[in-house]
Amino acid sequence: MTNTHARELDDFAAAARWCTSLVATIGDEQWDEPGLGAWDLRGLVGHTGRAFLTLETALDQPADEVTLPSPEDYFAAILSQQGVDDLVLERGIASGRDLGDDPASAFAAKCESALSRLSRLEEVSSSASVADAAIMTVGGGMRAGDYVRTRTFELVVHGSDIAAALGTDPQIPDSPLRDSLEIAVELAVRGGTGSRVLAALTGRGGLAGDFSVLG
């Protein structure tokens, strides 16, 4: 097992545990409060939990070839799909509703299911082959480890959104945070906004409130 393979899986586990512990702090009276955009906290958490579901679904679908060789290629493919914003919004609302009367516990169960699935895969083969297997995602064929990185990115980004909605410091674990920043920087460079991001990170100019490397 190489360090790269270990990091991909370990980062996901760290982000999943962190995000689940954050969701556990949401009070019963807070679920209807603002979350992100048109989502209330329930919708935001519902969308965030889809990172677990989509990972398990993709792991069940082998691909004949890898057509998306990086996390950045995956996000570019997804964002190019027509009507994706409306679809994401609706799925988040539906997923939040599906969390039921005890949403924090339901979220934790989704987390444990995804981590258990990865653990079972590691038991029957080396972690290297788990990470290198070609799987089919909604964007196309990917190396499993690269798709895991997109799920970590989703947990880190939306976990931060949840923390912001709660008014708390996100305290993201260092390794998944670092990997998510690497993906975000690459997306900025590809999108032609890398120099603006560099300027902001070095105190040489701010970014607009609605700026996003995701388009």
Side-chain angles (χ1 to χ4, degrees), residues 19-42:
C19 204
T20 299
S21 67
L22 186 60
V23 169
T25 69
I26 300 175
D28 292 341
E29 74 287 355
Q30 294 179 293
W31 289 98
D32 294 330
E33 293 181 0
L36 176 70
W39 284 323
D40 56 14
L41 258 175
R42 178 181 284 272

Side-chain angles (χ1 to χ4, degrees), residues 6 14 16 31 46 56 63 72 79 86 93 101 106 113 122 129 139 153 165 167 173 189 193 196-197 199 201:
W31 289 98
E56 291 199 73
E72 296 81 17
L79 292 170
D86 290 339
I93 293 171
D101 295 334
S113 178
E122 290 183 78
S129 62
F153 183 87
V189 171
T193 58
R196 292 170 58 192
V197 170
L201 290 175

Side-chain angles (χ1 to χ4, degrees), residues 139-155:
M142 291 188 73
R143 177 180 164 276
D146 287 327
Y147 187 61
V148 167
R149 290 181 66 201
T150 73
R151 302 305 85 195
T152 300
F153 183 87
E154 290 282 343
L155 290 171

Side-chain angles (χ1 to χ4, degrees), residues 63-144:
D64 293 330
E65 62 177 335
V66 170
T67 59
L68 301 174
S70 74
E72 296 81 17
D73 290 314
Y74 169 83
F75 286 117
I78 294 301
L79 292 170
S80 69
Q81 296 176 358
Q82 186 172 8
V84 65
D85 290 339
D86 290 339
L87 181 60
V88 168
L89 173 62
E90 293 167 4
R91 282 180 173 171
I93 293 171
S95 295
R97 187 185 309 119
D98 290 344
L99 292 174
D101 295 334
D102 190 352
S105 293
F107 186 92
K110 292 177 183 295
C111 170
E112 291 305 320
S113 178
L115 292 178
S116 177
R117 178 59 194 278
L118 282 176
S119 178
R120 292 197 304 273
L121 286 175
E122 290 183 78
E123 288 174 1
V124 298
S125 68
S126 71
S127 291
S129 62
V130 168
D132 287 334
I135 59 174
M136 182 56 66
T137 75
V138 294
M142 291 188 73
R143 177 180 164 276

